Amino acid sequence: MSGAAPSGVDVFDLGSEHEQVVFCNDPASGLRAIVAIHSTALGPALGGTRFYPYASTDDAIVDVLNLSRGMSYKNALAGPDLGGGKAVIIGDPAELKTEALLRAYGRFVQSLNGRYFTACDVGTFSVDMDHIARECDFVTGRTVAHGGAGDSSVLTAYGTFQGMRAAAEQLWGEPTLAGRTVGVAGVGKVGRHLVRHLIEDGATVVVTDVHAPSVEAVRAEYPQVQAVGSTDELVASELDVYAPCAMGGAISDEVLEVLRASIICGAANNQLAHPGIEKQIAERGILYAPDYCVNSGGVIQVADELEGFSFERAQQRASGIFDTTRRVFELAAADGVTTAEAADRLAERRMREVGRLRGIHL
């Protein structure tokens, strides 16, 4: 479910699959947050904290429920013994974010006694996790100075690139983007690193971002990168691969009408604007690499921190996204279903088979 929330969201209806939804309120610091735990069948729920100026509480509820469900599937497919959760803090981080607010939030996460581990997401950074960790034991994605994994966008981009290589192999017979044109929508934390991998692999890269300084920074580092003024302009361009790396709902009916790419593979969460659009993608002959499959490098990176972080070990695990994406494509072909359905089947199989051994994480 993407876009605006219906008026008067019923949390029990919308979150009927979820184990727990917690509303956190600290008027003194301005904290208004929601933590959603979708599933702890495989272990404690892990997912980042998004700090975003939602138009309404209903919008925030819809987002956190969708994102937490996505984390259950992402973690199940990525391999760690972790369930799915997510949190949102409502407000503009540029105006509201303070040490006091983050520490208040940390105390709420601590009250869940390890059922939920938080990390970075849109609007939060490793240094914010350090503040949260002063009140909370269940934090990952911390700064390197505090023994953490640092910026998880590094392996999010690396994993997305591995998924894109698998898609290239599936469609064109070779696991490389050399000589292909890739359009990257959103060159913030993740998209910027993805551009580097693509350039090094020999791809032609076209970018866009609503934040002009992000585009300027990428072009300063890679002058050969082309920039266009909007996402609408990008999707209508002559592309081989479209990589949505910004907010969710990127693949809509309107985008599909004009998209000329043969592959969709990007780092954004919840890319499909509505149920059923995955079938339209397949009918158009476009190969979709499911978002939570290819963008799981970040969660692999921060999950590794729970063992005592080793970047080399985490990167080795993230390189397995190539094989996981390949398995998704193989299952889709064998079962005659879309790649999105195939990814869900693989994730659900693991949650079912391993989850029955564990039950609800306490």
Side-chain angles (χ1 to χ4, degrees):
M1 228 173 284
S2 297
S7 178
V9 164
D10 186 309
V11 180
F12 283 102
D13 283 348
L14 208 56
S16 59
E17 299 176 5
H18 288 67
E19 292 179 14
Q20 189 173 12
V21 180
V22 179
F23 292 82
C24 313
N25 186 39
D26 182 53
S29 66
L31 174 71
R32 291 190 303 151
I34 309 168
V35 180
I37 297 173
H38 176 261
S39 170
T40 59
L42 293 176
L46 171 66
T49 295
R50 178 167 292 190
F51 204 142
Y52 190 76
Y54 293 97
S56 68
T57 303
D58 284 357
D59 285 352
I61 292 169
V62 169
D63 204 31
V64 77
L65 291 174
N66 284 336
L67 290 166
S68 56
R69 182 181 186 276
M71 287 306 302
S72 289
Y73 281 74
K74 182 184 296 191
N75 289 335
L77 207 56
D81 290 330
L82 293 165
K86 202 81 174 187
V88 297
I89 299 175
I90 300 170
D92 184 346
E95 297 176 7
L96 268 186
K97 191 192 292 182
T98 61
E99 178 187 341
L101 180 146
L102 292 168
R103 291 179 71 158
Y105 171 67
R107 293 182 72 80
F108 281 109
V109 174
Q110 182 71 12
S111 74
L112 293 169
N113 293 314
R115 280 178 44 74
Y116 169 64
F117 278 77
T118 194
C120 305
D121 196 73
V122 174
T124 59
F125 301 85
S126 293
V127 68
D128 300 326
M129 297 304 115
D130 287 345
H131 284 307
I132 293 167
R134 293 170 76 172
E135 304 290 342
C136 180
D137 301 318
F138 309 108
V139 184
T140 185
R142 296 189 63 188
T143 61
V144 175
H146 285 86
D151 182 4
S152 64
S153 64
V154 174
L155 289 189
T156 303
Y158 177 74
T160 302
F161 176 63
Q162 296 304 322
M164 201 180 289
R165 289 179 61 241
E169 178 189 65
Q170 177 76 11
L171 207 58
W172 301 310
E174 293 290 335
T176 177
L177 284 305
R180 305 292 176 182
T181 300
V182 182
V184 181
V187 283
K189 289 196 284 189
V190 176
R192 174 170 59 95
H193 294 299
L194 180 60
V195 168
R196 174 171 56 82
H197 291 301
L198 292 167
I199 293 292
E200 289 173 355
D201 196 36
T204 297
V205 180
V206 187
V207 304
T208 192
D209 197 299
V210 294
H211 187 239
S214 295
V215 174
E216 290 160 12
V218 166
R219 294 208 65 231
E221 194 170 357
Y222 305 106
Q224 66 270 51
V225 168
Q226 303 166 44
V228 295
S230 67
T231 303
D232 289 345
E233 195 177 338
L234 183 68
V235 296
S237 302
E238 287 283 358
L239 302 176
D240 295 301
V241 182
Y242 176 47
C245 295
M247 298 296 278
I251 309 303
S252 63
D253 295 325
E254 294 76 19
V255 165
L256 272 189
E257 280 178 21
V258 296
L259 185 66
R260 296 154 86 171
S262 303
I263 291 171
I264 298 170
C265 177
N269 287 311
N270 298 336
Q271 290 172 26
L272 305 182
H274 61 78
I277 199 164
E278 71 280 1
K279 293 183 172 63
Q280 295 176 43
I281 293 170
E283 286 163 6
R284 288 280 311 276
I286 298 169
L287 179 62
Y288 170 59
D291 46 33
Y292 70 80
C293 173
V294 303
N295 71 12
S296 60
V299 79
I300 290 169
Q301 181 169 336
V302 296
D304 191 90
E305 189 176 315
L306 302 177
E307 301 176 38
F309 184 61
S310 161
F311 183 82
E312 292 73 22
R313 179 177 62 203
Q315 186 172 35
Q316 183 61 36
R317 288 172 172 170
S319 65
I321 291 171
F322 179 91
D323 288 327
T324 304
T325 310
R326 187 191 261 166
R327 281 170 55 215
V328 168
F329 295 151
E330 289 170 352
L331 182 64
D335 287 6
V337 296
T338 66
T339 56
E341 291 171 283
D344 284 356
R345 287 184 183 186
L346 285 174
E348 287 162 0
R349 183 186 303 165
R350 182 163 183 258
M351 282 190 271
R352 184 171 61 249
E353 292 175 355
V354 179
R356 70 180 178 79
L357 307 174
R358 291 174 168 249
I360 291 174
H361 181 82
L362 299 175

